[in-house]
Amino acid sequence: MSATPIENLSKLCIHTITTKSWSLEEAGERYEAAGVKGISVWRQYLEGRNIAASGDRLRNHGLEIVSLVRGGFFPSTVAATRQKAIEDNLKAVDEAAALGAEMIVLVCGADPGQSLETSRAQIQAGIEKVLPYAIEAGVKLAIEPLHPMYADTRSAVNTLEQANDMAEAIGSEFVGIAADVYHLWWDPHLEKEIKRCGANGNLFAFHICDWVSPTVDMLNDRGLMGEGCIPIKQIRGWVEEAGFSGFNEVEIFSDRHWASDQQEFLANIVSSYKSC
Amino acid sequence: MSATPIENLSKLCIHTITTKSWSLEEAGERYEAAGVKGISVWRQYLEGRNIAASGDRLRNHGLEIVSLVRGGFFPSTVAATRQKAIEDNLKAVDEAAALGAEMIVLVCGADPGQSLETSRAQIQAGIEKVLPYAIEAGVKLAIEPLHPMYADTRSAVNTLEQANDMAEAIGSEFVGIAADVYHLWWDPHLEKEIKRCGANGNLFAFHICDWVSPTVDMLNDRGLMGEGCIPIKQIRGWVEEAGFSGFNEVEIFSDRHWASDQQEFLANIVSSYKSC
């Protein structure tokens, strides 16, 4: 089965970080004007705001609030730091509930001062500590496996297989996975693991962007869909075949695109989305 | 089983690129003086030289020539470019034979203009084309799986599992694998795949360095052993348990270390080697 053609923008969501310089209010207005139907809100855009009112305002722009980004960063060699991470994740649950976001995306974290196995155990323990509070609030937690180039400090969960293992080990309908093509495209087991993820009801979110060549910055050189080598359409086909019918979330960190005219960038996101 | 303690330098090999600014002759002299026993020669260091005489000269310094670096770069969307790559690999076989190097390390290549599957098929086809000539010359070919962050342009073989699959599919005692901790350390299947690699007689080479945090350059910011988070000793234990008894090859690309006093850097390589 190949990906269904994209005929409209009903499944297009944009992460606020993608249009980094726009305030939440500006993003809401401009996304609506461009026909975008979903928004994923990075937490820094909520600072100093009434969160519930911000959520209503976004919904009044016809935007579904797909996710709050981001929780996680559980591992540390220092117990007090791990405890602080738990507290911050509980706060994120409050924010997501107030905003009306269905889920929180977890950038799981890693500490280069300890083994990946230890970091992974701390991630799972962290999620399990936050989970009862999240369930109570009706907020889902989405583990995002990150590219292996981030294994030292950002995430010890680096493949969809590992994320599937962890989500299944936790075994709650409130814990699933955010699959981002940027992190996963190289993986020879991707198709199989997407199928597994969907079959187990764990495929919560799908993020898109592209991998440009050469990539000059490990963090902030993502491409617009079509600018790079990721087979986005093929992966989207696998995701749909696995039963996913949620938003396609555009999440682009790019010094290059951030330095460009952001209204033009938004138009390019919309047009490149239609062809991916 | 844990790694055997390093009691001397009898298994220490250094890649000439590690001390980038030194000529082959200077590297030979200085490595010998430092007690190093092996050298892996990057091809650019042979330019304008009588290769056989260079090999003798290195051996007269008490150095075993572990490998010639590097062949590969087989994939391309352009047939003529693929043919040129084959010819360059045949030339590398001649160079390795003249130098007296047992093997050539293959950086397999990738082309972002085509799928990873196509690139992998071209890699295997390329190796199979070069193989009869390599066997004739008595030169082995070592597939080096590269970190997934290089999947776009440098190698479509990104895990030891994939390298094992390919080496086994080719099925020649002249084709095996160079395992580099920098590329593989994050992989949850590493121990299992090292065991498989050794059991099948495919573990030809073992490369070491470290992953520093933060890594500021995707290519040239490798660390000295101990500067980063790679569990080198643990991985070396797995490699030895898999039956490997060859050299531990230090291969460090680092703008930071290259800018330092190279004699001091060599001393640091030796001391950090002893503790890894």
Side-chain angles (χ1 to χ4, degrees), chain B residues 22 41 45 59-60 64 69 74 82 89 102 122-123 132 134 138 142 144 152 163 217 242 246 249 254:
Chain B
W22 288 349
V41 178
Y45 292 87
R59 277 180 289 274
N60 287 338
E64 185 171 327
V69 191
F74 294 108
R82 296 199 298 276
N89 278 273
E102 190 190 358
Q122 291 175 355
I123 290 165
E144 181 171 27
D152 57 338
D217 185 278
E249 303 181 45
S254 165

Side-chain angles (χ1 to χ4, degrees), chain A residues 6-76:
Chain A
I6 288 178
E7 283 161 350
N8 57 55
L9 305 183
S10 63
K11 294 294 182 188
L12 173 57
C13 167
I14 301 179
H15 281 236
T16 54
I17 193 74
T18 300
T19 51
K20 189 179 178 182
S21 65
W22 288 349
S23 69
L24 189 64
E25 293 73 21
E26 195 171 4
E29 282 168 29
R30 291 181 183 260
Y31 291 2
E32 177 186 23
V36 177
K37 294 298 178 188
I39 186 168
S40 283
V41 178
W42 281 52
R43 293 173 69 192
Q44 58 266 43
Y45 292 88
L46 296 174
E47 270 166 33
R49 287 173 172 76
N50 178 312
I51 296 178
S54 290
D56 289 339
R57 182 169 180 152
L58 293 174
R59 277 181 289 274
N60 287 338
H61 285 301
L63 295 165
E64 184 171 329
I65 302 171
V66 178
S67 56
L68 180 75
V69 191
R70 54 203 188 186
F73 289 105
F74 294 109
S76 171

Side-chain angles (χ1 to χ4, degrees), chain B residues 90-112:
Chain B
L90 296 174
K91 186 163 167 273
V93 170
D94 289 339
E95 292 172 15
L99 187 65
E102 190 190 358
M103 74 183 114
I104 299 171
V105 176
L106 301 180
V107 171
C108 293
D111 188 320

Side-chain angles (χ1 to χ4, degrees), chain B residues 195-208:
Chain B
K195 193 172 287 188
R196 170 185 168 195
C197 188
N200 290 328
N202 286 333
L203 191 45
F204 284 5
F206 181 53
H207 297 182
I208 56 175

Side-chain angles (χ1 to χ4, degrees), chain B residues 9 36 42 75 81 139 145 148 177 183 185 208 233 262:
Chain B
L9 305 183
V36 177
W42 280 51
T81 306
V139 172
I177 290 159
H183 298 299
W185 73 280
I208 56 175
K233 205 171 197 162
Q262 293 298 278

